[in-house]
């Protein structure tokens, strides 16, 4: 038991030090390992398997909306990066520059892509000539690099994995529709697969993507009441198209600019899964994204028939669930701890007494509830348990989000909430950048989004008292 | 018809200029587009879809052998690259160097990974301590970069996509077994899915991977009788482990070095698919790897009921086949040409007369054979046609390989074959590097492999006349 205790104790309690809890979980659950390359993480098998599931499910959703996958170069010539003014200002300070190829110094520096709008524009200019060539609806799965000063696994690393969608349309309206459509794909995926409830809205001009006309976002609330931007979708209008000279001949045989969007979700979302659902025993993975949905743990496995029964149950389950048997020579208690740290949604305990009674015990990771089931009904029962768990996890997170979303009618309330309760603060805002910056300087709260569903709490801005333009979600964020 | 003719004429005949034929196929079939980034290609939807199918099927085969996917950084510190002497000598001349992050000059240069042995060793040193931690059987899907002077789409580009497997074992024997196992996975995949027959063997010391003890290879023969190395598997013994100080405590509680392998297949294999199966009308994709297996092309589609029937057939087929309907307003002839250029294995022609007779016509891409089938039996018929086509394509390629594999008993024969017949040349070799280099200098032939199945054609080396050590496959190669 000493060893088992040690394994569990290795995780710092959330309430004691949330940042340390997070670090403990990502390392002890073996999701990542730190590398000797500045700001870059190693995504280990258990972490990468989550990303593979995310990729698989998101990719299927993308393809349903007509997305084609492509692959563009990882390097961008400096002159190309500079074509769109706002974009280069936003990204140039944080890119890595390649200056030498082999022994030879390059005549032009190349940066490792921090994002690929410029490359996609450069390519689309070559392939789009007529309205018949539109829309172009592309996506790329790749890694990108942004030179970060302080890094944290998944949440902020110099290199990260993501998908970046880039689409090109004949009309501004179509581009707007695509931007919204993809935000909804992200939102649906987060809520239904990752069990993460969201606030959906538009970024302020200050917070929008470098070069975009409008950025839409989904914002989630972590266990520590900080916000995490979980996916974004940008409408570029025809700004990039004009900078890159992308024109097409329309049905009236006239040259028109194209309208562009881009949208991305990254390995950062794994950080959200951890911080929304995790607990003091480790990771808790929603059943629909868990690489392993149930771990069968034999009790007294050396007794005749126990292991056989464990594998028999595995075989009953394997066509419909992702299932493993832990037949290592560790003690059951140790195995329980490992399954819990790793966040495997359920375990199935099966020992000699259970076999005698023709039953097995399913234990939920989130509530630790034990469900006794006849072995012959185990498929049905497990399906029910996982389905219930998925819904309960969403509802629990939703309740947390609601409980920690507050309305501030005035600046005093705003500061009071920020100091004593945290979470999202809904308040009216004047729409001015200076005011937004002053709020951030004063107490560190940033605008998370202008929610699509607007409410009115006052006629004036919560901070400066000027006439209010809209309701905004404020918060401290990762 | 003028336009259709133009589309077909756009491809240079193979016999006229094979290199130009290749370039025409990769661009007209829209597999790639050239980028403005030196030596890097853009993989377009039709090219990437082939790669996605390769990934999916290879990945499933890897996982059956117990492989876990991971992701390691794209950058390697110069000091890390230098740890294994042969390795750095092999790769340093062809890597891209990052010297600046944002505005700041780095204290140590970082190269973009040309391959990741050094990173995997560095990581495994941290996670392997005891025999219980072994074996480590990892794979990574990623892009790598090697600064190439002359590049060709898929065959040789500065950046390319690949998978790189890296495994670590307790014994030399286990490492050797894994090296062979993975070569067999590649060979099986190439022969059964890509319909590409192979020669399997070991690379000579000169041709082996930088830092490896032994490199195994699968070699394919292209339509122009040049060889293409299609996949490699390397046994490192404990060379890297010693350079990186990776040791584990064995069952006898003693420190032992680990044994390592790596193995890779890249987007280069798409070049092999093109050059083994393509013809003067364009690409020909084996049914088991084709992103679209059949294109339904309606004839007189404006006539009532034709399009309905086309979609009805699509719906009959879509659960078992990858199927599309070309309902664009181009002429049927134009659509045939496009389907042929793109290498879609079959098309289904359906017009008013067919509908009257309750039939449809399946046309094979490789032989252009027309198979008339009752519509109600179309699923069965198509399955048969695709299966037959897959086998016929393999057999045709196999016959080409056999016809163009020659035995040279002496140097005169060797040169005669190389000049007049080309293809693989089987000959005896002394095993000496100087002799191998002299052969290459004299006529450009390189050793492709020392085949696993050895034959004896003479007692002496085909070139220098010294006693022969083994049979070798020679050839000119991509
Ligand atoms: Zn204000
Ligand atoms: Zn010789």
């Amino acid at each position: 038991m000493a060893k088992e205790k040690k394994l569990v104790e290795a995780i710092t309690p959330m309430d004691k030090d949330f940042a340390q809890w997070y670090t403990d979980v990502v390392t002890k659950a073996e999701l990542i390992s730190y590398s000797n390359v500045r700001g870059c993480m190693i995504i280990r098998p258990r972490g990468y398997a989550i990303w593979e599931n995310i990729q698989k499910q998101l990719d299927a959703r993308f393809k349903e909306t007509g997305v084609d996958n492509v692959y563009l170069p990882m390097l961008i010539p400096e002159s190309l990066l500079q074509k769109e003014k706002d974009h280069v200002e936003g990204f140039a300070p944080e890119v890595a520059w390649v200056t030498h190829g082999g022994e030879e110094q390059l005549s032009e520096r190349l940066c490792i892509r921090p994002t690929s709008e410029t490359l996609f524009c450069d390519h689309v200019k070559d392939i789009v000539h007529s309205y018949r060539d539109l829309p172009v609806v592309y996506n790329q799965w790749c890694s990108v690099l942004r030179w970060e000063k302080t890094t944290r696994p998944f949440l902020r690393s110099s290199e990260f994995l993501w998908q970046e969608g880039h689409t090109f349309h004949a009309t501004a309206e179509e581009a707007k529709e695509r931007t919204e459509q993809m935000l909804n794909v992200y939102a649906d995926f987060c809520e239904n697969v990752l069990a993460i409830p969201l606030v959906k809205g538009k970024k302020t001009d200050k917070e929008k993507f470098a070069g975009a006309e409008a950025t839409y976002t989904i914002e989630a609330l972590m266990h520590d009441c900080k916000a995490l931007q979980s996916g974004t979708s940008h409408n570029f209008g025809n700004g990039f198209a004009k900078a890159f000279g992308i024109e097409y001949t329309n049905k009236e045989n006239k040259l028109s600019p194209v309208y562009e969007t881009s949208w991305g979700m990254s390995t950062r979302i794994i950080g959200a899964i951890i911080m929304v659902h995790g607990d003091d025993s480790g990771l808790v993975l929603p059943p629909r994204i868990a690489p392993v949905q149930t771990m069968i743990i034999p009790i007294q496995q050396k007794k005749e028939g126990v292991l056989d029964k464990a594998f028999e149950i595995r075989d009953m389950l394997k066509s419909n669930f992702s299932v493993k048997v832990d037949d290592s020579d560790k003690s059951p208690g140790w195995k329980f701890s490992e399954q819990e740290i790793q966040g495997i949604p359920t375990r199935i305990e099966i020992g000699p007494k259970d076999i005698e009674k023709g039953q097995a015990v399913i234990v939920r990771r989130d509530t630790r509830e034990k469900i006794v089931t006849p072995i012959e009904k185990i498929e049905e029962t497990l399906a029910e348990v996982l389905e219930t768990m998925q819904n309960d996890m969403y509802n629990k997170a939703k309740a947390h989000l609601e409980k920690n979303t507050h309305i501030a009618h005035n600046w005093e309330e705003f500061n009071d909430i920020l100091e004593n309760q945290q979470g999202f603060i809904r308040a009216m805002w004047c729409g001015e950048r200076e005011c937004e910056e002053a709020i951030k300087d004063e107490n560190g709260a940033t605008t998370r989004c202008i929610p699509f569903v607007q409410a009115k709490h006052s006629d004036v801005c919560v901070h400066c008292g000027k006439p209010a333009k809209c309701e905004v979600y404020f918060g401290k964020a990762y």
Side-chain angles (χ1 to χ4, degrees), chain A:
Chain A
M1 274 308 282
K3 262 192 168 173
E4 281 144 33
K5 236 180 155 182
K6 202 177 139 210
L7 188 70
V8 175
E9 279 177 356
I11 296 182
T12 306
M14 282 182 159
D15 291 342
K16 195 176 159 201
D17 182 346
F18 191 76
Q20 189 57 48
W21 169 83
Y22 180 80
T23 305
D24 286 350
V25 171
V26 293
T27 53
K28 310 285 177 193
E30 297 182 356
L31 303 184
I32 69 107
S33 196
Y34 293 96
S35 80
N36 290 315
V37 187
R38 185 188 138 147
C40 298
M41 60 183 165
I42 290 164
I43 308 181
R44 301 186 65 184
R46 292 207 184 95
Y48 198 81
I50 299 173
W51 183 240
E52 281 185 305
N53 274 356
I54 291 172
Q55 280 191 298
K56 201 172 138 190
Q57 298 193 50
L58 263 187
D59 199 68
R61 284 163 196 254
F62 293 164
K63 283 178 177 153
E64 271 171 31
T65 75
V67 171
D68 282 322
N69 284 335
V70 296
Y71 187 80
L72 269 62
M74 68 152 86
L75 297 173
I76 307 175
E78 189 164 15
S79 55
L80 198 62
L81 190 69
Q82 287 170 338
K83 278 211 173 175
E84 209 287 333
K85 202 178 59 65
D86 291 336
H87 190 69
V88 67
E89 271 174 26
F91 284 105
E94 59 181 48
V95 296
W97 291 105
V98 173
T99 57
H100 289 74
E103 313 291 322
E104 160 205 3
Q105 170 143 20
L106 306 183
S107 58
E108 179 182 16
R109 298 199 298 179
L110 306 167
C111 77
I112 297 175
R113 64 181 160 223
T115 179
S116 304
E117 277 74 12
T118 52
L119 290 166
F120 275 86
C121 284
D122 199 42
H123 173 47
V124 165
K125 187 178 155 56
D126 285 343
I127 61 166
V128 167
H129 308 291
S130 134
Y131 68 92
R132 284 192 195 87
D133 302 323
L134 292 170
V136 171
V137 183
Y138 284 171
N139 174 62
Q140 165 168 286
W141 292 96
C142 65
S143 75
V144 290
L145 196 132
R146 298 172 187 179
W147 210 253
E148 299 282 357
K149 292 212 170 64
T150 51
T151 60
R152 298 193 65 195
F154 297 122
L155 299 176
R156 190 170 296 278
S157 51
S158 290
E159 183 186 10
F160 57 89
L161 302 178
W162 80 344
Q163 59 65 220
E164 47 178 321
H166 296 271
T167 73
F168 298 83
H169 305 270
T171 66
E173 191 176 50
E174 217 184 286
K176 185 163 185 285
E177 272 166 22
R178 176 56 74 166
T179 316
E180 289 165 0
Q181 180 182 25
M182 299 320 287
L183 192 82
N184 287 331
V185 167
Y186 290 145
D188 183 69
F189 172 72
C190 284
E191 300 199 323
N192 288 310
V193 179
L194 307 183
I196 297 178
L198 302 162
V199 176
K200 293 198 277 185
K202 194 177 160 180
K203 285 284 181 191
T204 62
D205 281 354
K206 178 178 178 292
E207 297 287 331
K208 74 184 185 190
F209 185 80
E213 215 164 67
T215 288
Y216 302 125
T217 180
I218 46 173
E219 300 280 327
L221 198 68
M222 304 298 102
H223 187 87
D224 65 345
C225 290
K226 277 198 196 165
L228 189 103
Q229 177 182 305
S230 303
T232 47
S233 186
H234 316 292
N235 185 353
F236 290 104
N238 58 24
F240 267 91
K242 283 189 171 167
F244 281 79
I246 315 176
E247 290 181 318
Y248 73 98
T249 310
N250 66 18
K251 285 183 183 167
E252 288 75 42
N253 211 28
K254 285 193 181 143
L255 280 178
S256 303
V258 304
Y259 295 82
E260 190 194 355
T261 84
S262 82
W263 25 277
M265 185 171 270
S266 75
T267 37
R268 196 166 204 232
I269 197 70
I270 298 175
I273 300 171
I274 298 166
M275 291 195 292
V276 167
H277 300 301
D279 65 21
D280 282 346
S281 302
L283 197 59
V284 183
L285 291 171
R288 289 190 195 141
I289 205 68
V292 179
Q293 295 175 309
T294 193
M295 180 66 86
I296 301 173
I297 300 180
I299 315 292
Q300 294 183 278
Q301 70 182 32
K302 279 174 188 158
K303 288 227 169 140
E304 210 193 310
V306 173
L307 269 183
D308 287 347
K309 187 57 80 176
F311 284 107
E312 195 185 311
I313 293 175
R314 196 253 334 249
D315 292 341
M316 291 169 74
L317 296 174
K318 72 181 178 190
S319 58
N320 290 317
F321 307 92
S322 168
V323 51
K324 279 193 175 176
V325 177
D326 187 348
D327 62 347
S328 66
D329 51 16
K330 298 164 191 163
S331 74
W334 181 268
K335 293 176 185 178
F336 295 168
S337 290
E338 283 194 326
Q339 170 254 326
E340 293 188 352
I341 285 189
Q342 293 165 22
I344 296 168
T346 53
R347 69 170 172 257
I348 296 175
E349 301 176 2
I350 179 85
K353 282 178 200 159
D354 299 307
I355 295 172
E356 229 168 69
K357 295 185 199 156
Q359 68 178 38
V361 182
I362 300 174
V363 184
R364 270 173 65 165
R365 170 63 185 86
D366 59 337
T367 56
R368 288 197 172 71
E369 187 191 344
K370 292 186 176 214
I371 298 102
V372 179
T373 175
I375 290 174
E376 74 265 22
K377 286 200 171 171
I378 198 157
E379 277 189 78
E380 252 176 275
T381 315
L382 183 62
E384 267 174 41
V385 169
L386 291 173
E387 184 63 16
T388 308
M389 181 173 166
Q390 178 81 29
N391 294 332
D392 288 356
M393 284 177 75
Y394 178 79
N395 290 332
K396 191 182 164 196
K398 180 91 177 161
H400 175 75
L401 173 72
E402 282 167 2
K403 188 176 154 231
N404 293 289
T405 301
H406 312 281
I407 296 168
H409 298 87
N410 54 54
W411 193 236
E412 206 183 348
E413 278 181 28
F414 192 108
N415 278 309
D416 183 63
I417 294 164
L418 207 60
E419 245 169 72
N420 300 312
Q421 302 177 287
Q422 300 178 330
F424 283 129
I425 304 176
R426 296 169 60 178
M428 304 309 291
W429 176 55
C430 61
E432 285 177 27
R433 196 180 179 125
E434 297 71 35
C435 178
E436 187 180 0
E437 278 165 0
I439 293 171
K440 191 179 174 190
D441 287 346
E442 229 169 285
N443 57 27
T446 52
T447 57
R448 303 317 311 150
C449 68
I450 302 163
F452 291 143
V453 183
Q454 285 277 311
K456 188 172 178 180
H457 314 296
S458 156
D459 289 327
V460 297
C461 173
V462 73
H463 179 252
C464 68
K466 284 185 196 167
K469 280 238 174 86
C470 56
E471 185 198 26
V472 167
Y473 272 67
F474 290 90
K476 294 204 177 174
Y478 277 96

